Amino acid sequence: MALLQVNDIHVYYGSIHAVKGVSFEVNQGEVVTLIGANGAGKSTVLNTISGLLHPRTGSVVFEDKDLKGVQPHKVVEHGLAQVPEGRRIFLQMSVEENLEMGAFTQPGSTVEPGIADVYERFPRLKERRKQIAGTLSGGEQQMLAMGRALMSKPKLLMLDEPSMGLAPILVEQIFDIIKELHAAGTTILLVEQNAQAALAVADRAYVMETGKITLSGTGAELMASDEVQKAYLGG
Amino acid sequence: MSFLNNVITGISLGSIYAIIALGYTMVYGIAKMLNFAHGDVIMVGAYVCFFATGSFGLHPVAGVLLAMVVCTILGTVIEGLAYKPLRQAPSLAVLITAIGVSWFLQNSAQLLWGAAPKVFTPVVSGGLSIFGGQLNISYVTILTVVSCLVIMVLLSAFIGKGKMGKAMRACSEDKGAAQLMGINVNSTISMTFAIGSALAAIAGVLMCSAYPTLMPTTGSLPGIKAFTAAVFGGIGSVPGAFVGGLLLGIIEIFAKAYISTDLSDAIVFLALIIVLLVKPSGLLGKYVPEKV
């Protein structure tokens, strides 16, 4: 049984049909990526899973539980954490306070050890623990956003365009972190426009185009596919 | 000596403005709306205390506590019934609703308790007389200033260190991201209204103890002035409400004492205009650049 199952969801913004019948699954321990151009509906899918948007038809099932009607703040309690597009850390709060917010649903006693874990993974954040998050560099902000999401001890970590707006060297760092998290057993759903990097870390991948999934396969298969080469990898 | 007296009166009035301004600024910070009914919650608080102590003979402390409870419930109910359904509505609709709620409260008070002014009995009486009677400080004044300081310290600690206080800050910055953290945005907004309304009850009792005329429109002008104080200090900022409230009270009393009683309100608003021309975000308002 898949950890996350998305069954034929249709999502609308008013009268705009943004996601037109998307189905896919994520299994325990996998890194699954959803790639596609800007506007393909990838973030819409993530926000639907997080409960911020509601599918008109179709369902999102997590650990055999249908998430229909579950409010977004409750979705986190089920073990789903999202690192949103553009990071959206709390810019006026300190690094440590951001991490505390990530642990909002966790019992108080686990917050300290959780923060220690995040600092171990991201030593840069420890150096800047008292700093206001708005003063961090883009790469550090992305690390903070990921650390913050990990604070809720998610069973599934969803990353929305983690490489967006970052310098190439930082993009590499972020993908190294994704590999490390994968190696440590974290299940990850990764939404990316950077198809090359995403396919390189993914066990399985889906290609989205204008609201639909047009291709799927293992990361390696899609990397080799002519269509993906032409459309996304500049080959 | 009259100068010192004026300073003390100004600080005392300013403390009341500051306590009211906290309600405006916290609600604005989190819900991004101006709750123009806030001033009328003050009036309701004062009436509750008036009847609790006057008609039912309760101890003033019990009267204040009861007023706080009633206003907390009132604030939460107003938020739930009038503002919550408008969460996605344009801000103009929310603003007009707030004005509607303000009128509703004033007219309900008139219906329930009549339009005739009531004479409010101060919660404490007497005062200190120093320098051979040249300087008189009433206990109400002392209580007001001390209350304001205690509220500021407690509220700052709550917002700075408390889990729910931090959640309030998170919601005020980015509600979507706060939800992704598992924070219930709706209940956080309700809590903010509850705190603001409890403070309004305290402000109402203190204000009517210093200026003992109580009628259905009692909260209206102080409400507007406290809103001005919140903007003056930087709306959304808690220390800003404190500084703005105090300055406004002092400016108002000085204008009354040294310039003209009739013009004092005009001078207060002139000060606001000047501050906004020089620093549009208010004295302590923050401009936070966004990193892309």
Side-chain angles (χ1 to χ4, degrees), chain A:
Chain A
M1 191 64 205
L3 180 67
L4 174 78
Q5 258 192 312
V6 174
N7 302 316
D8 195 28
I9 55 167
H10 288 259
V11 189
Y12 291 76
Y13 292 106
S15 62
I16 299 161
H17 199 173
V19 171
K20 304 164 184 166
V22 164
S23 302
F24 66 93
E25 69 212 16
V26 181
N27 298 304
Q28 184 74 47
E30 274 186 324
V31 172
V32 172
T33 183
L34 215 55
I35 58 173
N38 201 7
K42 307 182 301 295
S43 299
T44 308
V45 169
L46 277 202
N47 286 333
T48 307
I49 298 170
S50 282
L52 295 171
L53 297 168
H54 305 287
R56 196 168 286 181
T57 56
S59 65
V60 176
V61 178
F62 185 70
E63 288 192 310
D64 296 339
K65 276 187 297 279
D66 191 338
L67 295 183
K68 187 181 169 66
V70 177
Q71 288 180 294
H73 66 270
K74 290 284 180 192
V75 169
V76 186
E77 287 172 26
H78 283 91
L80 280 146
Q82 190 197 138
V83 178
E85 187 176 350
R87 307 181 272 272
R88 289 172 71 178
I89 53 169
F90 303 113
L91 295 170
Q92 297 177 47
M93 298 173 83
S94 73
V95 167
E96 195 145 306
E97 284 172 339
N98 266 277
L99 294 177
E100 287 170 21
M101 288 296 100
F104 190 80
T105 55
Q106 300 296 306
S109 58
T110 66
V111 177
E112 287 275 321
I115 290 178
D117 284 352
V118 170
Y119 285 159
E120 202 176 317
R121 191 174 296 284
F122 304 104
R124 285 292 281 281
L125 296 182
K126 188 173 188 177
E127 289 166 30
R128 302 182 184 277
R129 58 201 292 177
K130 296 287 170 216
Q131 215 165 305
I132 296 299
T135 63
L136 299 180
S137 73
E140 290 164 346
Q141 291 192 2
Q142 185 61 47
M143 289 177 197
L144 178 57
M146 291 170 80
R148 186 180 66 171
L150 289 170
M151 289 296 295
S152 69
K153 309 236 176 352
K155 294 170 187 151
L156 172 65
L157 179 65
M158 298 187 284
L159 304 169
D160 195 350
E161 307 262 7
S163 73
M164 190 173 73
L166 296 183
I169 178 118
L170 290 170
V171 173
E172 211 171 294
Q173 252 184 46
I174 295 296
F175 278 96
D176 283 344
I177 294 165
I178 294 172
K179 275 184 227 160
E180 283 169 33
L181 289 171
H182 183 204
T186 315
T187 311
I188 296 173
L189 174 58
L190 170 66
V191 159
E192 258 300 340
Q193 282 190 55
N194 186 341
Q196 179 97 45
L199 290 175
V201 297
D203 296 311
R204 289 187 306 109
Y206 296 88
V207 178
M208 265 191 92
E209 248 172 75
T210 57
K212 287 187 183 124
I213 287 178
T214 53
L215 272 177
S216 64
T218 66
E221 276 168 14
L222 288 191
M223 189 91 91
S225 111
D226 284 349
E227 286 166 74
V228 173
Q229 281 284 340
K230 277 208 193 84
Y232 303 104
L233 303 175

Side-chain angles (χ1 to χ4, degrees), chain B:
Chain B
M1 214 42 84
S2 79
F3 175 80
L4 203 54
N5 252 326
N6 288 330
V7 171
I8 292 166
T9 315
I11 290 174
S12 169
L13 179 65
S15 299
I16 293 171
Y17 288 154
I19 300 172
I20 308 172
L22 284 171
Y24 272 107
T25 220
M26 285 199 306
V27 163
Y28 180 84
I30 191 161
K32 302 287 176 276
M33 68 159 290
L34 297 171
N35 177 20
F36 276 119
H38 190 60
D40 303 292
V41 175
I42 296 163
M43 170 273 295
V44 173
Y47 269 107
V48 170
C49 185
F50 174 83
F51 285 114
T53 54
S55 309
F56 297 98
L58 289 184
H59 189 271
V61 173
V64 175
L65 289 176
L66 185 66
M68 286 172 73
V69 170
V70 171
C71 286
T72 303
I73 295 169
L74 180 67
T76 319
V77 168
I78 290 173
E79 195 277 324
L81 289 182
Y83 305 144
K84 195 175 164 192
L86 298 175
R87 207 78 90 208
Q88 311 297 332
S91 53
L92 195 58
V94 186
L95 189 72
I96 291 168
T97 305
I99 293 171
V101 173
S102 163
W103 283 32
F104 175 81
L105 291 178
Q106 283 181 26
N107 286 294
S108 304
Q110 192 166 336
L111 203 65
L112 283 171
W113 304 310
K118 307 227 182 303
V119 181
F120 194 92
T121 321
V123 280
V124 287
S125 50
L128 288 178
S129 188
I130 34 184
F131 302 124
Q134 284 187 305
L135 189 61
N136 293 303
I137 310 171
S138 72
Y139 289 133
V140 168
T141 301
I142 296 170
L143 180 67
T144 304
V145 176
V146 170
S147 303
C148 178
L149 288 174
V150 169
I151 287 169
M152 268 311 296
V153 169
L154 291 181
L155 201 61
S156 301
F158 173 71
I159 292 174
K161 303 258 183 274
K163 185 177 179 183
M164 284 315 293
K166 286 177 188 169
M168 275 171 62
R169 277 153 63 203
C171 287
S172 98
E173 256 198 72
D174 187 336
K175 290 189 186 54
Q179 279 183 312
L180 289 177
M181 302 299 109
I183 297 168
N184 185 340
V185 172
N186 276 329
S187 64
T188 310
I189 292 178
S190 297
M191 184 188 71
T192 309
F193 271 87
I195 296 173
S197 305
L199 295 181
I202 298 175
V205 171
L206 291 171
M207 185 177 76
C208 287
S209 295
Y211 306 91
T213 317
L214 176 57
M215 49 189 186
T217 53
T218 288
S220 176
L221 190 60
I224 298 286
K225 292 231 190 90
F227 163 63
T228 310
V231 176
F232 200 83
I235 190 128
S237 152
V238 166
F242 181 66
V243 172
L246 281 185
L247 279 177
L248 208 72
I250 293 171
I251 292 171
E252 182 177 332
I253 294 297
F254 273 46
K256 274 190 176 133
Y258 300 113
I259 304 173
S260 152
T261 314
D262 294 334
L263 281 179
S264 70
D265 287 347
I267 291 164
V268 164
F269 289 106
L270 185 69
L272 173 75
I273 292 169
I274 293 169
V275 167
L276 291 186
L277 281 176
V278 179
K279 199 163 181 300
S281 55
L283 291 173
L284 300 182
K286 274 185 279 188
Y287 168 71
V288 184
E290 208 163 308
K291 208 164 266 182
V292 189

